[in-house]
Amino acid sequence: VVNVGCVVKDGKLAVVTGETIWPGELADDGSPVHSRAKHYDTKKDKDTGYNAPTRLSYHWKGPSLLADAPGSVSASVDLPVGDPQAYSGLIEKVDVLAEIPQVIKAVISYAAGTKPYIYTWMNPATLNIILPDGKEEQVKGVVFNEASFISS
């Protein structure tokens, strides 16, 4: 799982994170940087065949980029997105191989065993932020997020 994230607070970039967790590897909760996405309550998407999430949660933590606030910034959000057949805030569901001829697509899917799709959402949400001084804030805004599914 690869996750890249950033948090903007009051129009300023507060933290940028990135983390890779390999299959079978546990996330290191002691790491100074967290960039985690979890999928919950999955349901089969009849369009893609994937077990797609109906709820997502994100957690980011890393060194503050705010000049007046040295230390660590963390943020989290829980995001219900609904059923795969009636998603809330779904911008698009992209079949990555759709733009190439069917014959080539079939060969790639067969040889590599992949059927890549990208889901893109944009939904209102409340972000819970913990600033370097320990102050906790809730910020209402919009979450733009993508989830890529590569293997069937």
Side-chain angles (χ1 to χ4, degrees):
V1 175
V2 176
N3 186 289
V4 177
C6 67
V7 176
V8 175
K9 180 172 179 327
D10 297 329
K12 296 179 185 174
L13 191 58
V15 66
V16 175
T17 63
E19 185 175 35
T20 300
I21 301 172
W22 296 97
E25 181 181 49
L26 296 175
D28 180 4
D29 289 335
S31 171
V33 176
H34 294 183
S35 194
R36 315 256 166 94
K38 292 186 179 179
H39 295 189
Y40 295 98
D41 309 323
T42 61
K43 287 189 176 179
K44 182 72 86 179
D45 182 336
K46 69 178 182 180
D47 296 332
T48 67
Y50 284 108
N51 288 322
T54 62
R55 185 172 64 88
L56 303 151
S57 74
Y58 293 95
H59 177 73
W60 305 280
K61 176 184 171 186
S64 172
L65 298 175
L66 301 169
D68 59 344
S72 180
V73 173
S74 67
S76 60
V77 64
D78 190 62
L79 193 61
V81 293
D83 186 273
Q85 299 339 112
Y87 270 132
S88 169
L90 183 69
I91 295 173
E92 63 182 342
K93 193 181 328 182
V94 179
D95 177 353
V96 176
L97 300 178
E99 299 303 317
I100 61 176
Q102 183 62 34
V103 172
I104 296 171
K105 179 179 175 178
V107 169
I108 292 171
S109 293
Y110 176 77
T114 63
K115 189 170 74 171
Y117 275 86
I118 300 171
Y119 292 67
T120 306
W121 294 274
M122 191 164 74
N123 281 298
T126 300
L127 183 69
N128 299 302
I129 300 177
I130 302 175
L131 298 168
D133 63 5
K135 182 180 173 188
E136 294 186 34
E137 293 185 19
Q138 290 191 334
V139 179
K140 291 187 183 299
V142 176
V143 174
F144 173 81
N145 59 299
E146 291 185 341
S148 300
F149 294 85
I150 297 174
S151 56
S152 57

